[in-house]
Amino acid sequence: MSRIAFRHIALIGLGLEASSIALAARRAGFDGRITGTARTAATRDTALRLGLCDAVFDTAAETVAGADLVILCVPVGAMAEVAAAMAPGLAPQVVVSDVGSVKARVIADVAPHLPPNTHFIPSHPIAGTERSGPEAGFAELFDDRWCLFTPLSDTDPTQLTKLRDFWHALGAKTDTMDAEHHDLVLAVTSHAPHLIAYTMVGVADDLSRVTESEVVNYSAAGFRDFTRIAASDPTMWRDVFLTNKAATLEILGRFTEELFALQRAIRQGDGVHLHDYFTRTRAIRQGIIEAGQDTDAPNFGRTPLPPAEPDT
Ligand code: NAP
């Protein structure tokens, strides 16, 4: 018996997040209806072929008709457009939610389009990979990951409980916070680190004294992890930075100051500063492992790569 109280889930956007929601809901025993739409016919066809949805539609308004839960799973910059497009099809008392990585801007973009007899509960599952599209999803994506809600001042607690139970059924842990605070927290834990990864991979690409094949062949663990992050979807991340400007710039300002301090320590041979700094950061990693948010297996538990071809 499914713990999911909704009977018809409508997914707007059918990429990594939406397909994982559909698969995780089915894994949880959800036997109600799932409808979906995406921008292109190719994605809509793929979603049907994979059996992610019972029906796909060309328009958002048709997709949400009769749904009691609508989840917007499009890039943050497309939220306003899809909210306006679906609004005429919304049923009374429907719960409208989203999975956008930025919250204050999504609230500002979506809320004005929703009829008064609907329940808007913004959310953000902190779970993803560098892949995108309907084939990238998997049922386990949300297991033991956090889904954060940023309720509005007039959010109905009964509807929030229903949505929370939905995410628990998908495998997630849940918490609530203020939208501005969410955006600052995510700037620290996700948005600024992504920008730094993009920059580091860009620097390696620009450095003419190190050849491309040297970067590819000799990439050590640190750089390899940067390349994985820097392979993330360009549209999604463009939108994240354009819509979480203030918080990201604040964190990058602090990052730059710390980087200058480390640069000075290296130049001046200040090993004490470097050692103290790295001791503090190692403790943060330990905290993440103790919180069950990553593995402590060496090299993130990856299986070793096959032996490299010997030099000739
Ligand atoms: P994705 O795999 O790239 O999928 C995005 C989907 O949105 C695609 O189906 C795309 O359709 C559709 N779409 C784009 N613009 C549209 C429009 N104007 N109208 C209708 N559909 C449109 O992206 P995702 O990774 O699932 O991300 C979706 C949301 O989740 C984003 O807001 C992101 O910030 C958030 N999020 C992502 C992650 C992550 O790590 N990936 C984690 C947490 C939250 P087409 O395929 O037809 O273009």
Side-chain angles (χ1 to χ4, degrees), residues 12-18 37-40 43 73-76 78-79 81-82 99-101 124-125 127-129 131-133 233 236 240:
I12 311 296
L14 290 167
L16 167 70
E17 296 296 317
T37 189
R39 187 175 39 175
T40 62
T43 298
C73 304
V74 297
V76 173
M79 293 281 181
E81 179 192 332
V82 300
V99 294
S101 305
H124 177 203
T129 72
R131 305 210 171 169
S132 46
D233 187 67
M236 169 185 159
V240 165

Side-chain angles (χ1 to χ4, degrees), residues 61-146:
E62 290 170 287
T63 307
V64 302
D68 52 357
L69 173 62
V70 173
I71 310 180
L72 307 180
C73 304
V74 297
V76 173
M79 293 281 181
E81 179 192 332
V82 300
M86 75 173 180
L90 290 172
Q93 303 308 325
V94 58
V95 172
V96 176
S97 190
D98 74 294
V99 294
S101 305
V102 176
K103 296 278 50 100
R105 178 63 172 273
V106 168
I107 293 170
D109 282 357
V110 172
H113 297 288
L114 302 182
N117 58 352
T118 55
H119 304 280
F120 180 35
I121 309 178
S123 58
H124 177 203
I126 307 180
T129 72
E130 66 281 17
R131 305 210 171 169
S132 46
E135 285 170 301
F138 52 101
E140 300 78 21
L141 179 65
F142 308 111
D143 286 351
D144 294 323
R145 300 282 147 217
W146 287 97

Side-chain angles (χ1 to χ4, degrees), residues 36-303:
T37 189
R39 187 175 39 175
T40 62
T43 298
R44 296 193 294 266
D45 291 346
T46 306
L48 256 191
R49 177 173 54 76
L50 295 172
L52 298 172
C53 302
D54 299 302
V56 297
F57 296 93
D58 293 354
T59 68
E62 290 170 287
T63 307
V64 302
D68 52 357
L69 173 62
V70 173
I71 310 180
L72 307 180
C73 304
V74 297
V76 173
M79 293 281 181
E81 179 192 332
V82 300
M86 75 173 180
L90 290 172
Q93 303 308 325
V94 58
V95 172
V96 176
S97 190
D98 74 294
V99 294
S101 305
V102 176
K103 296 278 50 100
R105 178 63 172 273
V106 168
I107 293 170
D109 282 357
V110 172
H113 297 288
L114 302 182
N117 58 352
T118 55
H119 304 280
F120 180 35
I121 309 178
S123 58
H124 177 203
I126 307 180
T129 72
E130 66 281 17
R131 305 210 171 169
S132 46
E135 285 170 301
F138 52 101
E140 300 78 21
L141 179 65
F142 308 111
D143 286 351
D144 294 323
R145 300 282 147 217
W146 287 97
C147 182
L148 303 179
F149 302 113
T150 60
L152 311 185
S153 55
D154 60 352
T155 295
D156 178 343
T158 314
Q159 303 302 327
L160 179 58
T161 302
K162 249 168 94 177
L163 189 63
R164 197 183 275 140
D165 290 346
F166 172 76
W167 279 99
H168 288 162
L170 266 48
K173 305 184 278 191
T174 58
D175 201 358
T176 55
M177 62 176 70
D178 169 68
E180 275 74 23
H181 188 64
H182 165 279
D183 291 353
L184 181 64
V185 170
L186 268 291
V188 177
T189 59
S190 171
H191 305 169
H194 267 81
L195 199 76
I196 292 160
Y198 279 122
T199 316
M200 197 56 230
V201 175
V203 165
D205 194 38
D206 288 345
L207 205 63
S208 56
R209 278 171 295 139
V210 178
T211 67
E212 196 180 318
S213 69
E214 284 172 317
V215 169
V216 171
N217 289 336
Y218 308 139
S219 77
F223 186 74
R224 273 208 310 268
D225 294 331
F226 276 140
T227 60
R228 187 189 61 74
I229 297 170
S232 300
D233 187 67
T235 305
M236 169 185 159
W237 284 97
R238 177 203 61 195
D239 287 3
V240 165
F241 294 120
L242 294 181
T243 57
N244 196 19
K245 224 182 241 184
T248 309
L249 290 177
E250 182 188 334
I251 301 306
L252 285 174
R254 296 202 185 194
F255 172 81
T256 313
E257 283 172 22
E258 303 256 332
L259 191 63
F260 279 140
L262 289 171
Q263 234 175 318
R264 195 174 51 240
I266 293 170
R267 192 180 320 106
Q268 295 175 343
D270 185 351
V272 173
H273 180 96
L274 295 173
H275 194 272
D276 286 353
Y277 201 92
F278 301 154
T279 303
R280 188 155 63 86
T281 54
R282 185 181 231 188
I284 291 173
R285 168 82 191 150
Q286 196 53 39
I288 291 171
I289 291 163
E290 279 162 18
Q293 292 300 294
D294 206 350
T295 171
D296 64 350
N299 199 21
F300 305 106
R302 290 177 181 132
T303 45

